[in-house]
Amino acid sequence: MPKVKGQPKQGQRTRPQPRKRAPAPVPVEPARADLTSVLTGFVMVVALIVAGAALLGGSMSKVSDGVGNAFDSAATGLGFAVEDVQITGLGSDVRRASLVQQMSGVAPGDNMFRADPHEIRRQVLATGQVTSAHVYRLWPNQILINASPAKASAIWYDGDGQQVVDSTGQIMEGLSARDYSELVLLTGVDAPEGVPALLQFLARADTVRDRVSYAERVSRRRWDVKLRDGLLIRLPADASVKRATDELIALENATDLSQRSLTRIDLRVAGRTFLEPLDEQGASGTAAES
């Protein structure tokens, strides 16, 4: 019988053929949540909320609340929630800093995207505790409020003692009135509340500012300003101080009012200034209208 080529001889062992190795599996990278997928997911959530509200007969206000809550949750999940509100620029005035933070309208846990710096600044200035403010969002989770404190502007005698008052009408605790003797002296109940209006008048009335002896708060709504030469200037309610100042300046420019011998200038009535002259003997004469 002819031999078949390739067949092993009798008694010879057959060598096992080497097996082919299976190809190595291709590594699979873990899925990453990029910005596109996050936004897509958020849009789908909003769509589901709107659709659900429509099916259930919900109002658009409920839809808006739902969208807002979903947006806040998404921002928090991504790490864009306020963790810290820092107040700088107020030094050691802890009370004022605490009030500024409270009235800023932003607190830890709030959505960073909703923390509008312009709105925060408006609310901080509305406290009347500072003269200027700058607000910064430090991403991803901090709010910085840099505020400038009001400066010492007047001394108030409250009947028992003297206290330093700043330009916003706040008592400046811990300061001695003896260190600010150059400031205008105030008297009357609740005088500090009217300081902003008084300072507005003095800042523009050049012929008056350096001659003031004291200012008395009248009926908790307006000022009587007494000058060192005895002249009394009666101002209207705080809301009308600008108008009165304009009239006084115009009258001074037209008549050299500061050079006349007067005992009283009454600016309380709009458009009508009452002048009370001083006679030669020093007694008050008949009031004149200007």
Side-chain angles (χ1 to χ4, degrees), residues 15-221:
R15 292 182 180 180
Q17 298 294 325
R19 295 181 180 178
K20 295 183 178 180
R21 294 182 179 179
V26 179
V28 179
E29 293 186 1
R32 295 180 181 178
D34 57 13
L35 182 59
T36 302
S37 62
V38 171
L39 292 177
T40 302
F42 177 69
V43 171
M44 293 180 65
V45 170
V46 172
L48 289 174
I49 293 174
V50 174
L55 290 174
L56 297 175
S59 65
M60 287 308 296
S61 62
K62 293 181 180 179
V63 173
S64 177
D65 292 341
V67 172
N69 292 336
F71 180 51
D72 292 342
S73 298
T76 300
L78 292 172
F80 294 109
V82 177
E83 288 188 2
D84 184 30
V85 180
Q86 296 185 21
I87 310 296
T88 62
L90 298 181
S92 59
D93 195 340
V94 178
R95 180 194 64 82
R96 192 173 304 219
S98 177
L99 182 58
V100 166
Q101 179 172 348
Q102 178 184 351
M103 298 302 293
S104 68
V106 62
D110 289 352
N111 185 344
M112 279 288 289
F113 293 98
R114 291 182 182 269
D116 182 2
H118 299 288
E119 178 62 19
I120 295 173
R121 179 178 180 274
R122 185 190 66 79
Q123 294 183 169
V124 168
L125 292 176
T127 64
Q129 299 291 315
V130 298
T131 56
S132 65
H134 300 279
V135 181
Y136 306 92
R137 283 189 292 190
L138 305 180
W139 298 97
N141 52 23
Q142 287 189 328
I143 299 294
L144 173 65
I145 301 174
N146 181 263
S148 299
K151 297 180 180 180
S153 300
I155 302 298
W156 176 42
Y157 176 67
D158 61 4
D160 295 322
Q162 295 183 343
Q163 302 188 67
V164 181
V165 181
D166 68 23
S167 59
T168 67
Q170 302 295 318
I171 303 298
M172 304 186 74
E173 304 290 348
L175 298 183
S176 173
R178 289 176 295 181
D179 297 330
Y180 298 90
S181 57
E182 75 280 3
L183 299 180
V184 61
L185 178 65
L186 313 178
T187 63
V189 178
D190 292 337
E193 294 181 2
V195 165
L198 178 63
L199 294 180
Q200 178 186 11
F201 170 72
L202 296 178
R204 299 184 58 214
D206 297 337
T207 59
V208 172
R209 182 174 56 241
D210 297 330
R211 300 158 55 200
V212 176
S213 174
Y214 68 90
E216 180 182 3
R217 190 66 169 166
V218 180
S219 302
R220 300 182 177 182
R221 60 186 295 270

